[in-house]
């Protein structure tokens, strides 16, 4: 039981560090993910994905990969009609953030 409590404490500490949104880029990225782009709707609060919605895991993806995929969806070189309403007003800078 002691080990479980220790692990829970470490997870809570790491979560606090990860969710520190005082940096402008992180704050903006969180705003885009949760509100502007509404990514959270399908990809989940923690980027865990949703198999029922065919929304893949985003947590842990490399920044360059995610940015490239979003750009490919938006420019049509990668097709996914479900993504288009969420991407149509986002900019390349939004993708980076």
């Amino acid at each position: 039981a002691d080990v479980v409590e220790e692990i829970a404490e470490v997870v809570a500490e790491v979560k606090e560090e990860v969710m520190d949104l005082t940096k402008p880029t992180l704050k903006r990225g969180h705003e885009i993910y949760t509100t502007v782009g509404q990514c959270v709707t399908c990809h989940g609060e923690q980027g865990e994905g949703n198999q029922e919605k065919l929304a893949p895991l985003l947590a842990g993806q490399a920044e360059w990969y995610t940015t490239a995929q979003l750009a490919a969806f938006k420019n049509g070189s990668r097709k996914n009609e479900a993504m288009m309403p969420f991407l149509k007003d986002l900019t390349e800078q939004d993708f980076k953030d």
Side-chain angles (χ1 to χ4, degrees):
D2 292 332
V3 173
V4 172
E5 289 174 14
E6 287 179 37
I7 291 171
E9 288 176 20
V10 169
V11 167
E13 288 174 18
V14 168
K15 194 172 187 179
E16 283 180 31
E17 289 176 28
V18 171
M19 296 307 290
D20 178 7
L21 301 176
T22 58
K23 293 182 179 181
T25 303
L26 292 178
K27 186 174 183 176
R28 177 69 179 141
H30 185 261
E31 181 182 319
I32 292 164
Y33 187 82
T34 58
T35 307
V36 178
Q38 301 175 15
C39 313
V40 68
T41 304
C42 297
H43 294 281
E45 289 287 329
Q46 303 296 317
E48 67 275 11
N50 184 325
Q51 190 172 12
E52 289 177 14
K53 294 183 178 184
L54 301 176
L57 170 84
L58 297 179
Q61 287 290 355
E63 177 185 347
W64 65 267
Y65 179 79
T66 302
T67 302
Q69 296 313 303
L70 292 170
F73 285 132
K74 187 163 182 176
N75 73 26
S77 62
R78 182 172 178 190
K79 304 286 186 211
N80 185 330
E81 293 303 317
M83 289 284 291
M84 295 314 292
F86 301 101
L87 295 176
K88 65 182 173 92
D89 295 328
L90 297 182
T91 67
E92 187 174 327
Q93 185 61 51
D94 291 335
F95 295 162
K96 290 177 183 177
D97 290 345

